[in-house]
Amino acid sequence: MLKSHLQQSTKSLIPWSTKPFIFSREILVVFPINILSKNQKKNNFIVHYNAANSTKAVLSSTKKSMGVKVVVKVQKSVGGTNLGLSRGLDGLLGKSLLLWIVAAELDPKANFVFPEDFGDVGAILVENEHKEMYVKNIVIDGSPHGKINITCNSWVHTKFEKRIFFTNKSYIPSQTPSGVKRLRERELVTLRGDGFGERKKYERIYDYDVYNDIGDPDGNNNGKRPVLGGKQLPYPRRCRTGRSRSKKDPLSELKSDFVYVPRDEEFSEVKSSTFSSNPIYSVLQAVVPALETIVSNPDLDFPQFPSIGSLFNVDIDVSRQGNKKNGMFNVVPRLIQAIFDTQKSVSLFETPKLLQRDKFSWLGDVEFARQTLSGFNPFSIRLVTEWPLKSKLSPEVYGHPESAMTKELIELEIGGSMTVEEAVQQKKLFILDYHDLLLPYVNKVNELKRTVLYGSRTLFFLTHEGTLRPLAIELTRPPIDNKPQWKQAYFPSTWNATGAWLWKLAKAHVLAHDSGYHQLVSHWLRTHCATEPYIIATNRQLSAMHPIYRLLHPHFRHTMKINSLAREALINANGIIETSFSLGKYAMEFSSAAYDLEWRFDQEALPQNLISRGLAVEDPNEPYGLKLTIQDYPFANDGLVLWDTLKQWVTNYVNHYYPQTNLIESDKEIQAWWSEIKNVGHGDKKNEPWWPELKTPKDLIGIITTMIWVTSGHHAAVNFGQYIYAGYFPNRPTIARRKMPTEDPTNEEWESFLNKPEEALLKCLPSQLQATKIIAIMDVLSNHPPDEEYIGEIIEPYWAEDPVINAAFEVFSGKLKELEGIIDARNVDSRLMNRNGAGVMPYELLKPFSEPGVTGKGVPYSISI
């Protein structure tokens, strides 16, 4: 054991400072010790060695001893105080940090007293007598084998357990040195827990549970929600918290102020500080709840479109607001001022870049179509492969299955250049199809207040310039009560005023559908939610010294924490999503339906996803082995470069640690990991035939590349453009609050539309309260904190110490820098009209690196926001 107070009292030890060294935000605690030769006499301190654990530590005054220095790096907080040290730096010296050095190999014949032939160090055990502290790394300097680095990056709690930290050398299970085999197994047992009891803040246990915590049955406002996960509502699993069950609904967890995530899954202090000091985040956490209690009319519309623009870059003198009744223009600044109380003038939101480039672009069909390929939901557009379009739902329940977009109507819109059949054959027709997915929810949603839902289809035509042109929108309501099915097709109308306004309203409905699908499926389900089981299984089944654990770890940082926050404030009952998106309280049921009908692990890989939507076909003569159906598809063009770069990095990494095929099947940890992901984490789909096998290095490369693509490229593509495109919400409304004027109108309703069509559109768009909440959350979600960890920017310590992996990372990092240049060149190419042109936003969402803030670029390793 190395105890700082014992070291200070031992005169024979090398002198050291009475205070730790402080560099930047890190505290370096230096423990100089002496190592005895095998037969030397020991003085002052007993050598400890345990053959089972290979424990070593010596303090001695022998003159011929060899000096060794142990440096423990403890994180220093942003505010200048020491994380977890209740008495500051002096408190660190008054108590003990106990360290056990563990040999990599056991030698039962040796009489160990930490001699020169001690062998490689395999691990170090740490016991903390301080308040909880964050240990970054431990360096043992002066051993016969040179400097030994042990990367920790972990919270060490007080006295509850001896923490095990392995050296930076990675081992698959069959190659584990004998001295640390039992420690490797023991640590995994600890991380799995026993599945009982409520989890405590300091614990590091990873276990599974269903989504039974998004409802609030014991609260007000009809907070009961069904459990997601199981046969009825399939869903991925989340991390188990073990909280008590609700009294009113025993299937649901009771709400509490604390939501457990394993201790090391918490935000870093810089990220946490960024969140807590961000005024917009405070709008989410403090202003929005206050608004909901103060605003007497949650349906208050914007009086005119210029009023919406007044939310951006406008300084409001709070001191002059008085008691005016100006809706959000009065309430928001006064509430912000009450919370921050720092200045008289409050600026609301920065003008989104889309609006800065062209404040009228949102009205046009060019931008409407372009954003299906270059916006923040490029995952929905599909190729039309058959005609006529038909629903697969039951006609007895949902009505006539054939689309209202008939052959004759579409050929008129195409302009007579070809028939519909020819357009399908030539791969000219594309669709946003939310018809069958939404239709089962239409009647239920329409019973709610202040929201209207339809099933929808939107048809596009691929022009010779490589852009999409909208042809038609179909909206459908299934039969209800004594009313038959209602459906209608709407078309772009240049010369017909009534038709032009109906088209604008139909687009508002479709955009609300696309916004809901984006947030609940493309974003939440396919990245945040689907990844959580990967994280849980990785920590339960892969040792921290496993090379695949170390490859995946940076891609999993902070995801469980951000997911827990989402369950508290975003996807929860009566949260942001339910109160501001069209599906209302059925939002998460819809997400479950999408998981059941659409989610497939094999199609989460970018190439397979593009192929499944008809946007690409395999072609060995094309770059990356795919030929795109739409050549100017910015997300796919940039995404395939990133995918290939990721795959090459993973290939080099996996082949290094698995040079023989049989090592995959004999790796009991990796096999248990993949089995648990399929059978437990995504257990509701465990019997699906599309799960990849895991028998060869090639199989593992495909699985790992898919996972890290989802956490990096996929998430960046759907997340960091949200404020740019949805900050000005008429461009991407999240909810439609009024039915179409042509759906069973009364004479009064129709006359009102004809006389004031702009008012009809404003009433259909989000209310002032909804819009402000959405702008706030889009700003938060689109933000990069100062300590963002971008993919390929900084090498992990584990990778750096292996020359082969270090070289592979250098190639990986270099290719990502090349991608930056490729994207810049594409964005200035005038031939690529989906990313270049007058007022057109360049496509930068897959540029790997970014400065802090809302930039619309940057690909972090992980889903950390």
Side-chain angles (χ1 to χ4, degrees), residues 380-395:
S380 288
I381 192 76
R382 291 179 175 272
L383 177 70
V384 175
T385 57
E386 58 185 12
W387 195 272
L389 301 174
K390 287 185 178 181
S391 170
K392 296 179 181 179
L393 299 175
S394 168

mmCIF file with all atom_site columns, all heavy atoms in Angstrom, residues 380-395:
data_model
loop_
_atom_site.group_PDB
_atom_site.id
_atom_site.type_symbol
_atom_site.label_atom_id
_atom_site.label_alt_id
_atom_site.label_comp_id
_atom_site.label_asym_id
_atom_site.label_entity_id
_atom_site.label_seq_id
_atom_site.pdbx_PDB_ins_code
_atom_site.Cartn_x
_atom_site.Cartn_y
_atom_site.Cartn_z
_atom_site.occupancy
_atom_site.B_iso_or_equiv
_atom_site.pdbx_formal_charge
_atom_site.auth_seq_id
_atom_site.auth_comp_id
_atom_site.auth_asym_id
_atom_site.auth_atom_id
_atom_site.pdbx_PDB_model_num
ATOM 1   N N   . SER A 1 380 ? -35.658 9.552  -44.804 1.00 0.00 ? 380 SER A N   1
ATOM 2   C CA  . SER A 1 380 ? -37.043 9.162  -45.097 1.00 0.00 ? 380 SER A CA  1
ATOM 3   C C   . SER A 1 380 ? -37.355 9.032  -46.577 1.00 0.00 ? 380 SER A C   1
ATOM 4   O O   . SER A 1 380 ? -38.261 8.286  -46.958 1.00 0.00 ? 380 SER A O   1
ATOM 5   C CB  . SER A 1 380 ? -38.012 10.162 -44.459 1.00 0.00 ? 380 SER A CB  1
ATOM 6   O OG  . SER A 1 380 ? -38.042 10.010 -43.063 1.00 0.00 ? 380 SER A OG  1
ATOM 7   N N   . ILE A 1 381 ? -36.673 9.766  -47.428 1.00 0.00 ? 381 ILE A N   1
ATOM 8   C CA  . ILE A 1 381 ? -36.980 9.752  -48.849 1.00 0.00 ? 381 ILE A CA  1
ATOM 9   C C   . ILE A 1 381 ? -36.727 8.351  -49.421 1.00 0.00 ? 381 ILE A C   1
ATOM 10  O O   . ILE A 1 381 ? -35.727 7.705  -49.108 1.00 0.00 ? 381 ILE A O   1
ATOM 11  C CB  . ILE A 1 381 ? -36.150 10.818 -49.601 1.00 0.00 ? 381 ILE A CB  1
ATOM 12  C CG1 . ILE A 1 381 ? -36.657 11.011 -51.023 1.00 0.00 ? 381 ILE A CG1 1
ATOM 13  C CG2 . ILE A 1 381 ? -34.669 10.523 -49.537 1.00 0.00 ? 381 ILE A CG2 1
ATOM 14  C CD1 . ILE A 1 381 ? -37.929 11.807 -51.103 1.00 0.00 ? 381 ILE A CD1 1
ATOM 15  N N   . ARG A 1 382 ? -37.670 7.866  -50.233 1.00 0.00 ? 382 ARG A N   1
ATOM 16  C CA  . ARG A 1 382 ? -37.581 6.524  -50.815 1.00 0.00 ? 382 ARG A CA  1
ATOM 17  C C   . ARG A 1 382 ? -37.886 6.569  -52.310 1.00 0.00 ? 382 ARG A C   1
ATOM 18  O O   . ARG A 1 382 ? -38.606 7.449  -52.783 1.00 0.00 ? 382 ARG A O   1
ATOM 19  C CB  . ARG A 1 382 ? -38.583 5.569  -50.148 1.00 0.00 ? 382 ARG A CB  1
ATOM 20  C CG  . ARG A 1 382 ? -38.268 5.221  -48.725 1.00 0.00 ? 382 ARG A CG  1
ATOM 21  C CD  . ARG A 1 382 ? -39.320 4.298  -48.129 1.00 0.00 ? 382 ARG A CD  1
ATOM 22  N NE  . ARG A 1 382 ? -38.944 3.875  -46.791 1.00 0.00 ? 382 ARG A NE  1
ATOM 23  C CZ  . ARG A 1 382 ? -38.200 2.815  -46.525 1.00 0.00 ? 382 ARG A CZ  1
ATOM 24  N NH1 . ARG A 1 382 ? -37.782 2.039  -47.525 1.00 0.00 ? 382 ARG A NH1 1
ATOM 25  N NH2 . ARG A 1 382 ? -37.882 2.501  -45.287 1.00 0.00 ? 382 ARG A NH2 1
ATOM 26  N N   . LEU A 1 383 ? -37.380 5.590  -53.021 1.00 0.00 ? 383 LEU A N   1
ATOM 27  C CA  . LEU A 1 383 ? -37.696 5.417  -54.431 1.00 0.00 ? 383 LEU A CA  1
ATOM 28  C C   . LEU A 1 383 ? -39.057 4.740  -54.568 1.00 0.00 ? 383 LEU A C   1
ATOM 29  O O   . LEU A 1 383 ? -39.373 3.794  -53.838 1.00 0.00 ? 383 LEU A O   1
ATOM 30  C CB  . LEU A 1 383 ? -36.625 4.552  -55.103 1.00 0.00 ? 383 LEU A CB  1
ATOM 31  C CG  . LEU A 1 383 ? -36.831 4.206  -56.582 1.00 0.00 ? 383 LEU A CG  1
ATOM 32  C CD1 . LEU A 1 383 ? -36.655 5.440  -57.453 1.00 0.00 ? 383 LEU A CD1 1
ATOM 33  C CD2 . LEU A 1 383 ? -35.857 3.103  -57.007 1.00 0.00 ? 383 LEU A CD2 1
ATOM 34  N N   . VAL A 1 384 ? -39.883 5.218  -55.480 1.00 0.00 ? 384 VAL A N   1
ATOM 35  C CA  . VAL A 1 384 ? -41.146 4.547  -55.803 1.00 0.00 ? 384 VAL A CA  1
ATOM 36  C C   . VAL A 1 384 ? -40.828 3.398  -56.747 1.00 0.00 ? 384 VAL A C   1
ATOM 37  O O   . VAL A 1 384 ? -40.249 3.599  -57.823 1.00 0.00 ? 384 VAL A O   1
ATOM 38  C CB  . VAL A 1 384 ? -42.142 5.520  -56.457 1.00 0.00 ? 384 VAL A CB  1
ATOM 39  C CG1 . VAL A 1 384 ? -43.400 4.777  -56.912 1.00 0.00 ? 384 VAL A CG1 1
ATOM 40  C CG2 . VAL A 1 384 ? -42.509 6.636  -55.483 1.00 0.00 ? 384 VAL A CG2 1
ATOM 41  N N   . THR A 1 385 ? -41.205 2.197  -56.374 1.00 0.00 ? 385 THR A N   1
ATOM 42  C CA  . THR A 1 385 ? -40.865 1.008  -57.162 1.00 0.00 ? 385 THR A CA  1
ATOM 43  C C   . THR A 1 385 ? -42.085 0.327  -57.774 1.00 0.00 ? 385 THR A C   1
ATOM 44  O O   . THR A 1 385 ? -41.926 -0.612 -58.570 1.00 0.00 ? 385 THR A O   1
ATOM 45  C CB  . THR A 1 385 ? -40.098 -0.014 -56.305 1.00 0.00 ? 385 THR A CB  1
ATOM 46  O OG1 . THR A 1 385 ? -40.896 -0.360 -55.165 1.00 0.00 ? 385 THR A OG1 1
ATOM 47  C CG2 . THR A 1 385 ? -38.769 0.565  -55.833 1.00 0.00 ? 385 THR A CG2 1
ATOM 48  N N   . GLU A 1 386 ? -43.284 0.764  -57.393 1.00 0.00 ? 386 GLU A N   1
ATOM 49  C CA  . GLU A 1 386 ? -44.479 0.153  -57.978 1.00 0.00 ? 386 GLU A CA  1
ATOM 50  C C   . GLU A 1 386 ? -45.607 1.176  -58.040 1.00 0.00 ? 386 GLU A C   1
ATOM 51  O O   . GLU A 1 386 ? -45.641 2.152  -57.264 1.00 0.00 ? 386 GLU A O   1
ATOM 52  C CB  . GLU A 1 386 ? -44.916 -1.076 -57.176 1.00 0.00 ? 386 GLU A CB  1
ATOM 53  C CG  . GLU A 1 386 ? -45.208 -0.807 -55.719 1.00 0.00 ? 386 GLU A CG  1
ATOM 54  C CD  . GLU A 1 386 ? -45.532 -2.076 -54.936 1.00 0.00 ? 386 GLU A CD  1
ATOM 55  O OE1 . GLU A 1 386 ? -45.305 -3.179 -55.483 1.00 0.00 ? 386 GLU A OE1 1
ATOM 56  O OE2 . GLU A 1 386 ? -46.013 -1.948 -53.806 1.00 0.00 ? 386 GLU A OE2 1
ATOM 57  N N   . TRP A 1 387 ? -46.518 0.964  -58.976 1.00 0.00 ? 387 TRP A N   1
ATOM 58  C CA  . TRP A 1 387 ? -47.658 1.862  -59.169 1.00 0.00 ? 387 TRP A CA  1
ATOM 59  C C   . TRP A 1 387 ? -48.875 1.024  -59.525 1.00 0.00 ? 387 TRP A C   1
ATOM 60  O O   . TRP A 1 387 ? -48.734 0.030  -60.248 1.00 0.00 ? 387 TRP A O   1
ATOM 61  C CB  . TRP A 1 387 ? -47.339 2.868  -60.289 1.00 0.00 ? 387 TRP A CB  1
ATOM 62  C CG  . TRP A 1 387 ? -48.293 4.020  -60.295 1.00 0.00 ? 387 TRP A CG  1
ATOM 63  C CD1 . TRP A 1 387 ? -49.500 4.079  -60.950 1.00 0.00 ? 387 TRP A CD1 1
ATOM 64  C CD2 . TRP A 1 387 ? -48.140 5.236  -59.591 1.00 0.00 ? 387 TRP A CD2 1
ATOM 65  N NE1 . TRP A 1 387 ? -50.110 5.273  -60.693 1.00 0.00 ? 387 TRP A NE1 1
ATOM 66  C CE2 . TRP A 1 387 ? -49.288 6.008  -59.865 1.00 0.00 ? 387 TRP A CE2 1
ATOM 67  C CE3 . TRP A 1 387 ? -47.171 5.768  -58.756 1.00 0.00 ? 387 TRP A CE3 1
ATOM 68  C CZ2 . TRP A 1 387 ? -49.482 7.277  -59.343 1.00 0.00 ? 387 TRP A CZ2 1
ATOM 69  C CZ3 . TRP A 1 387 ? -47.347 7.029  -58.230 1.00 0.00 ? 387 TRP A CZ3 1
ATOM 70  C CH2 . TRP A 1 387 ? -48.483 7.770  -58.511 1.00 0.00 ? 387 TRP A CH2 1
ATOM 71  N N   . PRO A 1 388 ? -50.038 1.353  -59.011 1.00 0.00 ? 388 PRO A N   1
ATOM 72  C CA  . PRO A 1 388 ? -50.386 2.505  -58.190 1.00 0.00 ? 388 PRO A CA  1
ATOM 73  C C   . PRO A 1 388 ? -49.941 2.324  -56.742 1.00 0.00 ? 388 PRO A C   1
ATOM 74  O O   . PRO A 1 388 ? -49.644 1.220  -56.297 1.00 0.00 ? 388 PRO A O   1
ATOM 75  C CB  . PRO A 1 388 ? -51.910 2.556  -58.289 1.00 0.00 ? 388 PRO A CB  1
ATOM 76  C CG  . PRO A 1 388 ? -52.301 1.118  -58.515 1.00 0.00 ? 388 PRO A CG  1
ATOM 77  C CD  . PRO A 1 388 ? -51.222 0.549  -59.371 1.00 0.00 ? 388 PRO A CD  1
ATOM 78  N N   . LEU A 1 389 ? -49.903 3.443  -56.036 1.00 0.00 ? 389 LEU A N   1
ATOM 79  C CA  . LEU A 1 389 ? -49.571 3.416  -54.624 1.00 0.00 ? 389 LEU A CA  1
ATOM 80  C C   . LEU A 1 389 ? -50.758 2.857  -53.847 1.00 0.00 ? 389 LEU A C   1
ATOM 81  O O   . LEU A 1 389 ? -51.899 3.299  -54.032 1.00 0.00 ? 389 LEU A O   1
ATOM 82  C CB  . LEU A 1 389 ? -49.245 4.822  -54.131 1.00 0.00 ? 389 LEU A CB  1
ATOM 83  C CG  . LEU A 1 389 ? -48.077 5.529  -54.833 1.00 0.00 ? 389 LEU A CG  1
ATOM 84  C CD1 . LEU A 1 389 ? -47.965 6.969  -54.358 1.00 0.00 ? 389 LEU A CD1 1
ATOM 85  C CD2 . LEU A 1 389 ? -46.776 4.790  -54.606 1.00 0.00 ? 389 LEU A CD2 1
ATOM 86  N N   . LYS A 1 390 ? -50.490 1.880  -52.964 1.00 0.00 ? 390 LYS A N   1
ATOM 87  C CA  . LYS A 1 390 ? -51.563 1.251  -52.207 1.00 0.00 ? 390 LYS A CA  1
ATOM 88  C C   . LYS A 1 390 ? -51.157 1.093  -50.746 1.00 0.00 ? 390 LYS A C   1
ATOM 89  O O   . LYS A 1 390 ? -49.999 0.798  -50.440 1.00 0.00 ? 390 LYS A O   1
ATOM 90  C CB  . LYS A 1 390 ? -51.896 -0.133 -52.772 1.00 0.00 ? 390 LYS A CB  1
ATOM 91  C CG  . LYS A 1 390 ? -52.639 -0.120 -54.094 1.00 0.00 ? 390 LYS A CG  1
ATOM 92  C CD  . LYS A 1 390 ? -53.023 -1.544 -54.495 1.00 0.00 ? 390 LYS A CD  1
ATOM 93  C CE  . LYS A 1 390 ? -53.804 -1.565 -55.791 1.00 0.00 ? 390 LYS A CE  1
ATOM 94  N NZ  . LYS A 1 390 ? -54.198 -2.955 -56.164 1.00 0.00 ? 390 LYS A NZ  1
ATOM 95  N N   . SER A 1 391 ? -52.144 1.239  -49.873 1.00 0.00 ? 391 SER A N   1
ATOM 96  C CA  . SER A 1 391 ? -51.930 0.982  -48.457 1.00 0.00 ? 391 SER A CA  1
ATOM 97  C C   . SER A 1 391 ? -51.941 -0.519 -48.204 1.00 0.00 ? 391 SER A C   1
ATOM 98  O O   . SER A 1 391 ? -52.645 -1.279 -48.871 1.00 0.00 ? 391 SER A O   1
ATOM 99  C CB  . SER A 1 391 ? -53.027 1.651  -47.626 1.00 0.00 ? 391 SER A CB  1
ATOM 100 O OG  . SER A 1 391 ? -52.967 1.225  -46.280 1.00 0.00 ? 391 SER A OG  1
ATOM 101 N N   . LYS A 1 392 ? -51.149 -0.945 -47.237 1.00 0.00 ? 392 LYS A N   1
ATOM 102 C CA  . LYS A 1 392 ? -51.133 -2.348 -46.827 1.00 0.00 ? 392 LYS A CA  1
ATOM 103 C C   . LYS A 1 392 ? -52.005 -2.587 -45.597 1.00 0.00 ? 392 LYS A C   1
ATOM 104 O O   . LYS A 1 392 ? -52.064 -3.713 -45.089 1.00 0.00 ? 392 LYS A O   1
ATOM 105 C CB  . LYS A 1 392 ? -49.697 -2.785 -46.553 1.00 0.00 ? 392 LYS A CB  1
ATOM 106 C CG  . LYS A 1 392 ? -48.811 -2.746 -47.791 1.00 0.00 ? 392 LYS A CG  1
ATOM 107 C CD  . LYS A 1 392 ? -47.389 -3.163 -47.473 1.00 0.00 ? 392 LYS A CD  1
ATOM 108 C CE  . LYS A 1 392 ? -46.509 -3.091 -48.717 1.00 0.00 ? 392 LYS A CE  1
ATOM 109 N NZ  . LYS A 1 392 ? -45.095 -3.462 -48.429 1.00 0.00 ? 392 LYS A NZ  1
ATOM 110 N N   . LEU A 1 393 ? -52.682 -1.558 -45.125 1.00 0.00 ? 393 LEU A N   1
ATOM 111 C CA  . LEU A 1 393 ? -53.541 -1.687 -43.960 1.00 0.00 ? 393 LEU A CA  1
ATOM 112 C C   . LEU A 1 393 ? -54.896 -2.274 -44.345 1.00 0.00 ? 393 LEU A C   1
ATOM 113 O O   . LEU A 1 393 ? -55.289 -2.265 -45.520 1.00 0.00 ? 393 LEU A O   1
ATOM 114 C CB  . LEU A 1 393 ? -53.735 -0.317 -43.296 1.00 0.00 ? 393 LEU A CB  1
ATOM 115 C CG  . LEU A 1 393 ? -52.469 0.372  -42.779 1.00 0.00 ? 393 LEU A CG  1
ATOM 116 C CD1 . LEU A 1 393 ? -52.786 1.767  -42.262 1.00 0.00 ? 393 LEU A CD1 1
ATOM 117 C CD2 . LEU A 1 393 ? -51.795 -0.458 -41.690 1.00 0.00 ? 393 LEU A CD2 1
ATOM 118 N N   . SER A 1 394 ? -55.618 -2.731 -43.357 1.00 0.00 ? 394 SER A N   1
ATOM 119 C CA  . SER A 1 394 ? -56.909 -3.378 -43.596 1.00 0.00 ? 394 SER A CA  1
ATOM 120 C C   . SER A 1 394 ? -57.924 -2.390 -44.178 1.00 0.00 ? 394 SER A C   1
ATOM 121 O O   . SER A 1 394 ? -58.226 -1.363 -43.563 1.00 0.00 ? 394 SER A O   1
ATOM 122 C CB  . SER A 1 394 ? -57.453 -3.938 -42.277 1.00 0.00 ? 394 SER A CB  1
ATOM 123 O OG  . SER A 1 394 ? -58.805 -4.317 -42.419 1.00 0.00 ? 394 SER A OG  1
ATOM 124 N N   . PRO A 1 395 ? -58.500 -2.680 -45.355 1.00 0.00 ? 395 PRO A N   1
ATOM 125 C CA  . PRO A 1 395 ? -59.526 -1.797 -45.927 1.00 0.00 ? 395 PRO A CA  1
ATOM 126 C C   . PRO A 1 395 ? -60.769 -1.706 -45.049 1.00 0.00 ? 395 PRO A C   1
ATOM 127 O O   . PRO A 1 395 ? -61.452 -0.672 -45.027 1.00 0.00 ? 395 PRO A O   1
ATOM 128 C CB  . PRO A 1 395 ? -59.855 -2.452 -47.279 1.00 0.00 ? 395 PRO A CB  1
ATOM 129 C CG  . PRO A 1 395 ? -58.684 -3.332 -47.574 1.00 0.00 ? 395 PRO A CG  1
ATOM 130 C CD  . PRO A 1 395 ? -58.171 -3.797 -46.245 1.00 0.00 ? 395 PRO A CD  1
#
